[in-house]
Amino acid sequence: YKRQVPMVPIILYVFYKKKIHWSIWPSAILCVGGVYLLSDFSNATVRFGDSLVILCAYFWALHIIFIGKFIKIFDIPLFFGALQALVVASFSFLFGFFFENISFANILNESVSIIYAGVLSGGIAFTLQIYAQKNIAPSPSAIIFSLESVFAAIAAWIILKQYLEHIINQFNQVITIEEGVINGGFGEGVSAWLSANGFKGDVKTIGLPNKFVEHGPRQVLLDKYGVNCEGIKSAFINKSLTVDSDTNQ
């Protein structure tokens, strides 16, 4: 979301000659600055995967722009939301069939998560987005969408705080697993909260190293950096604070 925030006003200004309110530009600059602070550019290179992310951000910016234009001409948000979901599902199934190993057993195991994400995020949230863009210009919409991580952090604090209070009294070993960098990630946040609230046990964090991870098949990369069953088992056996991401030990 943060990558498309500056793209929306730039596209509107350059290609559609639309006047952009002055307040949008500082917001876009702050968003780019936030991405910079969250990244490590000391040894940065633009890989194929990075190019795909930038391309996706460009198309997501176009998505926001064209929804705003479409809904002002055709006031049929439910139909457009259903059509959008159908197109995405069709392409996802097509590419998944050719490039992924589809396992119906795994799909059934994760059915609750899939239904939750599909209905709430893919269905209700995107339909509400279409309704909202009837009254909100594309550039402010992009900025609002970038607050996703903020709301996620607030929700996690509200939900996890209650759960972590239970952990303090019941357990002395905690392992966190995340498909993201360890530094500044979920595990560090949990560890900091537990430490501040008097937890005396061990906290082990499994995640990706704080560097640019090369492009490749997801499972291959997870296996390489120990974010898998072996990495979890190794964390239990070795009782180390973190799993060594390069040696999988």
Side-chain angles (χ1 to χ4, degrees):
Y1 281 123
K2 298 171 182 62
R3 297 176 183 87
Q4 45 82 13
V5 170
M7 288 190 177
V8 172
I10 290 173
I11 292 172
L12 287 172
Y13 183 78
V14 173
F15 294 103
Y16 292 95
K17 310 302 180 184
K18 185 175 179 62
K19 186 177 180 180
I20 306 297
H21 192 270
W22 67 267
S23 62
I24 298 298
W25 299 113
S27 301
I29 292 171
L30 286 172
C31 199
V32 173
V35 173
Y36 174 80
L37 293 175
L38 290 172
S39 305
D40 179 13
F41 287 94
S42 60
N43 188 28
T45 57
V46 179
R47 299 182 176 89
F48 178 68
D50 303 316
S51 303
L52 290 178
V53 170
I54 295 173
L55 184 64
C56 288
Y58 173 75
F59 280 106
W60 179 242
L62 291 178
H63 175 256
I64 294 174
I65 293 170
F66 285 121
I67 281 182
K69 292 181 175 295
F70 178 91
I71 201 62
K72 286 180 172 60
I73 300 174
F74 306 101
D75 190 12
I76 47 174
L78 286 177
F79 172 79
F80 187 69
L83 178 63
Q84 178 176 260
L86 178 63
V87 171
V88 171
S90 299
F91 276 101
S92 298
F93 180 80
L94 180 65
F95 282 97
F97 181 79
F98 286 104
F99 298 104
E100 300 286 345
N101 294 321
I102 298 177
S103 170
F104 288 102
N106 291 339
I107 292 174
L108 291 175
N109 288 336
E110 302 296 334
S111 57
V112 174
S113 299
I114 293 171
I115 293 172
Y116 174 84
V119 173
L120 293 182
S121 178
I124 295 175
F126 277 113
T127 303
L128 290 176
Q129 172 197 343
I130 298 169
Y131 271 106
Q133 285 199 238
K134 293 170 62 177
N135 304 304
I136 304 176
S139 294
S141 298
I143 295 172
I144 292 172
F145 290 144
S146 72
L147 292 173
E148 178 194 30
S149 55
V150 176
F151 286 107
I154 294 173
W157 176 75
I158 294 173
I159 297 171
L160 287 176
K161 180 176 181 293
Q162 299 175 351
Y163 186 70
L164 292 177
E165 288 173 347
H166 170 72
I167 287 178
I168 290 177
N169 299 320
Q170 298 292 326
F171 303 99
N172 58 14
Q173 294 282 333
V174 176
I175 292 181
T176 66
I177 307 167
E178 57 192 302
E179 194 174 329
V181 294
I182 293 175
N183 291 13
F186 168 78
E188 279 198 353
V190 170
S191 178
W193 191 93
L194 290 173
S195 177
N197 287 272
F199 182 67
K200 302 302 183 182
D202 292 331
V203 181
K204 306 172 182 63
T205 302
I206 299 173
L208 299 176
N210 189 39
K211 66 179 184 180
F212 283 95
V213 176
E214 64 274 22
H215 181 71
R218 174 177 172 271
Q219 193 57 53
V220 171
L221 295 177
L222 293 180
D223 290 341
K224 176 178 179 179
Y225 293 107
V227 189
N228 56 9
C229 293
E230 290 300 318
I232 298 170
K233 181 166 58 175
S234 179
F236 275 108
I237 294 174
N238 297 331
K239 294 185 179 180
S240 56
L241 181 61
T242 60
V243 175
D244 188 316
S245 299
D246 290 314
T247 63
N248 197 18
Q249 295 294 320

